[in-house]
Amino acid sequence: MEEKVESKKPQWAMVIDLDRCTGCEACVVACHAENNIRIAGEGPAAGGRSVNWIRVERYYEGEYPDIRVKFMPVMCQHCEEAPCEPVCPVYATYHTDEGLNGQVYNRCVGTRYCANNCPYTVRFFNFLDPVWPEPLSKSLNPEVSVRYRGVMEKCTFCIQRIRKGEDKAKDEGREIRDGDVNPACVQSCTARAMTFGNIADPTSEVARLSKSGRASRLMEELGTKPRVTYLSRGD
Amino acid sequence: MRSWKVVLILLALAAVSVVFLSGIIGKPFEPAQPIAFDHWQHTSKQGEDTPKLECTDCHENADKSRFATIPNVSKCMICHETMKTESPEIQKLAAYSSRSEQPPWKRVYWIEKEADVFFTHKPHIRAGVDCTTCHGQVNQMHRVKRDVDHSMGWCIQCHRENRVSVDCSICHR
C-alpha cells in the first residue's frame, strides 16, 4: 500500500435537491459535451448500448389527468465502499485518496465484472470504437481521453475540472473552496438542484446540505456509502 | 563451390546489418530540424555578445500552460532582424518570417496518444523542477536529442522521491 502523501486531501461529494430538479436533462447534454461521450446511434441505443454517464430517471405517480412526474438524476455515486472495485482483476477501477471512484482506461481489460456488480447501473462498456459524425469530431474536449473499444467508462465527477480547480487554488496558495470545482452537470443545472464540493470542509455547501433532514442516499441499505446525497421532495 | 558463395554472401550481409543496426540502436533520437538552431549558442556559450537566455525566455508558456510551446518566428526576428543576418541559417529564418510561415520543427519529446496521459508543464515548473531533469542538458546541445526516456516508471520514481501524489488520475483521465 502507498502511504498517504498529503494528509489533508479534499473529499469530493455531491448533493442533488430533487425538489428543484425539473428533469430538463441539461446535465445530460453538458456531460456528453464535456466528457467526449460517444453517440451510440439509434440501433445500438435500442440494443442497450448507449452511453450516458448521467441519466434522469422518471417516476410517475397517479392516473391521468392527476399525474405527477418525479425526476431523479443518477450518475456514478462514487461509493466509499464501491462494489465495482474489489471485483476488478487488474485494479483498473480503484479508490483515490480524494474519495473518487477512479477508472484507468489503460488498465481495463474489459471483463465487465464492475458493471455487473454496480447496483446503480452507471458503468458503460465500449463494445465498439467510438465514431463521431463530422463536424462533431472537431468538438472533442482535449482535456479528456477518448475511450476506445473494450474498456469500461463512467462518471468521473469531471476529474479534469477537479484538477484544474486544485491547480488554481495552489497557484493562489490557498485551500480549495466552494466554487473552485463544478462538474459540467452542476454548472449547467438551470434549477441549481446540484451542489458539488469538499465534504471534509464543514463550512462547505455540500457538508451543510448533506446534514439536512431531507437527505438520503440511493440504495443506502446495501452499505455502499455513496458520495452523492439526494434531498427528497417536500411533498 | 556455389554453396560457398551463398554462405559468404549471407555472412557479408549479416556483418553489414550488425554494423548498421549497432549504429541505430542505443543512439538517442535526434531529428534534423528545418533550421539548424543551436541551443548551446543561445544559452551557454561564453562570450561578450552571446544572449545567455533562460529556457522560459523562448518557451514562454511552460510556466503557464500544459505546453512549453515553440516560439513564433517573429520572436526570433526581434533579435535576428539585425543580428547575424549574413548566416545562411538566419537567412532561412528570415525567409520563413517574410512568408509569415513557421518552420516545420520536428518534435523530440512526445507522449503517445494511446497512453491517455495528460501531462502539464505548469505544476512542474511551479514545483521548481529544472527543465534539464526531464529534457537532459539541452543547454549544452547543438542539435536537440532525446536524452531522457519518459517512461511511466521514470515519472513515478520522481513523484515518489519528491513525495508527490502517485494517484493514477493525476495523469490519466
Side-chain angles (χ1 to χ4, degrees):
Chain A
M1 285 293 286
E2 286 295 330
E3 53 183 317
K4 280 218 167 149
V5 182
E6 283 168 50
S7 54
K8 265 180 82 182
K9 285 267 187 179
Q11 297 299 316
W12 301 110
M14 191 183 279
V15 176
I16 302 174
D17 191 341
L18 298 179
D19 211 9
R20 286 185 169 207
C21 178
T22 61
C24 70
E25 301 217 10
C27 48
V28 180
V29 176
C31 181
H32 270 252
E34 171 75 16
N35 291 303
N36 299 342
I37 297 174
R38 69 200 168 94
I39 299 152
E42 207 174 327
R49 288 182 178 182
S50 62
V51 176
N52 297 292
W53 285 8
I54 181 170
R55 62 176 189 267
V56 179
E57 299 270 12
R58 287 168 294 182
Y59 297 99
Y60 299 100
E61 271 182 12
E63 292 280 322
Y64 183 81
D66 297 320
I67 197 163
R68 292 197 72 173
V69 191
K70 290 184 170 185
F71 300 105
M72 184 179 211
V74 180
M75 78 290 279
C76 173
Q77 306 287 305
H78 291 268
C79 314
E80 280 169 37
E81 301 289 340
C84 52
E85 286 166 10
V87 293
C88 182
V90 292
Y91 300 104
T93 178
Y94 73 106
H95 222 68
T96 74
D97 42 14
E98 295 179 358
L100 299 171
N101 177 240
Q103 177 76 21
V104 190
Y105 306 120
N106 313 59
R107 274 187 183 167
C108 182
V109 294
T111 62
R112 292 184 271 146
Y113 293 164
C114 54
N116 260 345
N117 227 25
C118 176
Y120 308 102
T121 58
V122 289
R123 291 183 152 267
F124 299 92
F125 188 67
N126 285 285
F127 285 95
L128 299 166
D129 268 325
V131 188
W132 278 274
E134 289 295 330
L136 286 181
S137 60
K138 291 185 178 66
S139 71
L140 294 176
N141 185 354
E143 301 285 332
V144 181
S145 48
V146 174
R147 282 79 57 188
Y148 27 85
R149 189 178 61 175
V151 301
M152 192 60 75
E153 63 179 69
K154 62 154 199 84
C155 163
T156 60
F157 266 177
C158 285
I159 183 83
Q160 68 281 6
R161 291 183 175 214
I162 292 175
R163 293 285 169 257
K164 209 167 192 174
E166 287 172 343
D167 183 66
K168 192 181 159 220
K170 215 166 184 178
D171 262 350
E172 293 166 11
R174 57 170 172 82
E175 293 287 309
I176 205 109
R177 62 176 181 225
D178 273 4
D180 276 343
V181 183
N182 271 329
C185 52
V186 176
Q187 188 189 8
S188 65
C189 185
T190 49
R192 299 199 184 156
M194 299 164 125
T195 315
F196 186 81
N198 177 11
I199 205 165
D201 172 11
T203 61
S204 72
E205 189 76 2
V206 271
R208 190 178 67 78
L209 287 174
S210 63
K211 288 190 199 90
S212 153
R214 294 193 288 140
S216 69
R217 280 148 203 95
L218 200 55
M219 294 192 224
E220 222 171 344
E221 65 280 7
L222 297 175
T224 52
K225 295 188 189 164
R227 272 286 170 90
V228 180
T229 305
Y230 289 93
L231 302 183
S232 61
R233 285 174 65 122
D235 54 6
Chain B
M1 201 56 193
R2 188 132 174 233
S3 61
W4 267 110
K5 267 185 189 166
V6 171
V7 168
L8 268 178
I9 288 168
L10 281 177
L11 273 174
L13 272 176
V16 165
S17 58
V18 161
V19 168
F20 185 68
L21 282 175
S22 63
I24 295 175
I25 295 168
K27 246 193 181 173
F29 178 64
E30 191 182 345
Q33 301 289 355
I35 296 170
F37 176 83
D38 191 334
H39 275 88
W40 167 79
Q41 197 163 26
H42 287 80
T43 58
S44 310
K45 189 182 177 185
Q46 296 302 312
E48 277 207 357
D49 46 334
T50 51
K52 294 187 192 64
L53 297 168
E54 293 294 324
C55 306
T56 46
D57 287 341
C58 294
H59 302 286
E60 55 180 25
N61 293 306
D63 56 345
K64 298 182 192 71
S65 80
R66 240 171 104 180
F67 303 103
T69 63
I70 291 172
N72 194 296
V73 169
S74 58
K75 184 145 204 169
C76 313
M77 293 307 284
I78 293 173
C79 296
H80 284 295
E81 200 78 64
T82 52
M83 278 176 92
K84 277 201 97 178
T85 45
E86 73 287 354
S87 151
E89 294 298 322
I90 299 304
Q91 281 161 12
K92 264 198 246 174
L93 182 78
Y96 279 115
S97 175
S98 64
R99 295 197 300 269
S100 349
E101 277 176 21
Q102 302 301 319
W105 300 109
K106 296 268 180 356
R107 234 173 204 282
V108 181
Y109 288 99
W110 67 87
I111 300 168
E112 297 298 339
K113 195 169 164 282
E114 289 74 21
D116 288 343
V117 171
F118 292 84
F119 173 83
T120 310
H121 274 88
K122 186 186 165 195
H124 294 87
I125 305 287
R126 185 175 54 207
V129 180
D130 201 63
C131 302
T132 55
T133 312
C134 307
H135 293 290
Q137 295 288 335
V138 174
N139 53 350
Q140 301 298 329
M141 291 178 197
H142 298 290
R143 191 162 93 187
V144 182
K145 57 177 177 279
R146 199 197 286 160
D147 245 5
V148 184
D149 173 31
H150 289 179
S151 66
M152 189 172 115
W154 175 82
C155 295
I156 295 268
Q157 191 186 351
C158 189
H159 269 231
R160 283 209 178 114
E161 279 168 8
N162 293 293
R163 305 183 63 73
V164 192
S165 175
V166 287
D167 186 83
C168 307
S169 64
I170 292 287
C171 308
H172 301 276
R173 38 180 129 110

